[in-house]
Amino acid sequence: MPDSGLECEFQRRVQDAKNYAETRPGTVGIVLRDRKTGAMWRNDHADELTWTASTIKLAMVVNLLERNRSGRIKLTGDDRRLMNAMLHSSDDDAADTLWKRYTGSTFNAAFPKYGMTGLVAQRGYSATFPYWGYEKCTANDLDRLINYVLDTVPAEDRAYIVGQMRQVGPEQQWGVWGPGSGTKNGWSQEDSGWVMNSVGFVGPDERYTLAIMNNLKGEGGYDEGRETATEIARILFR
């Protein structure tokens, strides 16, 4: 895969990750980026719409911080506590409160700015529309989101987000997680089966980013999806 721009050794790891993903339940979208060189690799499922689950909470935090910095809203101590809970333990009640408090449609209108141009809110699942819990996007969208966080979000806000992603709770200690990394994970059981997603960064200065979206399509469950995301990250960065 010379077009990727990745070094030969990394190309071998990528091939191993690709081969592994093809043996796993459902389909797995993967996007890997080297922020230092600009090299990147995406697999054949990277543009497949998949339920976001809680990965969308990362975009919510970006938007809240942006609105606060611009003066459109003033975040309270309670707001910040809820943001911490969304990032640390992926707290759904915290997301519900902030979504209602700061207008869901305003969040959704902003998400494409952060690179989530493929995001589609899903109708027919909730009386509230749009609703953070019923959205679909692609691994490419999550790749652009995490790189927006690292490259464009103002330094103080970026430091907060990166710090939170580096110290997530046990619920999120899988996928793109480990020493020198940070993650925001999402997992849910949908009508089509489980989805297990992980997006984050790895290495000094957050050099690499990795987005993984596993749509198990009824072929496996939480445990299989968690194993898939974790093993892909391990193969790439062992």
Side-chain angles (χ1 to χ4, degrees):
M1 50 188 72
D3 291 344
S4 70
L6 296 167
E7 296 176 356
C8 289
E9 173 58 30
F10 219 138
Q11 288 189 36
R12 284 191 284 271
R13 296 182 192 180
V14 165
Q15 188 62 55
D16 288 345
K18 179 177 182 290
N19 292 342
Y20 170 77
E22 290 173 355
T23 70
R24 301 299 294 167
T27 57
V28 188
I30 310 170
V31 183
L32 168 70
R33 188 186 296 261
D34 182 339
R35 297 176 57 242
K36 182 177 180 179
T37 67
M40 68 180 302
W41 169 74
R42 55 171 62 90
N43 75 348
D44 292 341
H45 296 288
D47 209 30
E48 182 178 295
L49 276 176
T50 303
W51 292 103
T52 66
S54 291
T55 58
I56 198 70
K57 293 169 184 169
L58 177 59
M60 288 177 63
V61 170
V62 171
N63 181 249
L64 288 166
L65 292 171
E66 180 185 77
R67 281 197 263 174
N68 182 72
R69 186 168 289 278
S70 70
R72 286 176 286 163
I73 63 173
K74 184 174 178 57
L75 292 172
T76 66
D78 184 59
D79 294 332
R80 293 186 180 275
R81 178 186 63 80
L82 294 171
M83 290 163 58
N84 291 349
M86 282 203 301
L87 292 175
H88 182 74
S89 59
S90 205
D91 190 290
D92 289 348
D93 290 338
D96 284 345
T97 299
L98 290 168
W99 191 263
K100 181 177 180 181
R101 186 175 292 173
Y102 291 109
T103 314
S105 58
T106 303
F107 282 110
N108 259 73
F111 291 158
K113 175 183 176 182
Y114 314 143
M116 304 190 77
T117 54
L119 183 76
V120 182
Q122 302 298 300
R123 290 188 178 275
Y125 289 88
S126 171
T128 301
F129 181 86
Y131 174 57
W132 72 265
Y134 296 116
E135 314 251 10
K136 288 184 178 182
C137 77
T138 69
N140 282 321
D141 290 314
L142 293 184
D143 164 69
R144 290 188 291 264
L145 171 62
I146 188 61
N147 280 280
Y148 181 91
V149 169
L150 297 174
D151 294 336
T152 306
V153 168
E156 183 180 353
D157 294 340
R158 179 174 66 249
Y160 161 73
I161 295 172
V162 167
Q164 290 292 315
M165 292 178 71
R166 285 188 180 277
Q167 53 184 351
V168 294
E171 306 89 344
Q172 297 191 84
Q173 292 178 5
W174 52 273
V176 191
W177 180 84
S181 67
T183 193
K184 179 68 197 84
N185 292 341
W187 60 99
S188 62
Q189 187 172 20
E190 305 292 350
D191 52 7
S192 58
W194 279 87
V195 294
M196 301 292 292
N197 307 325
S198 186
V199 60
F201 51 79
V202 179
D205 300 319
E206 300 81 47
R207 174 172 176 173
Y208 299 98
T209 58
L210 180 61
I212 304 169
M213 300 193 83
N214 184 194
N215 183 358
L216 286 115
K217 299 183 176 180
E219 298 174 9
Y222 172 91
D223 290 338
E224 289 84 359
R226 176 169 172 155
E227 180 182 345
T228 295
T230 302
E231 182 63 10
I232 287 170
R234 189 199 69 80
I235 291 169
L236 290 172
F237 298 107
R238 63 180 181 271

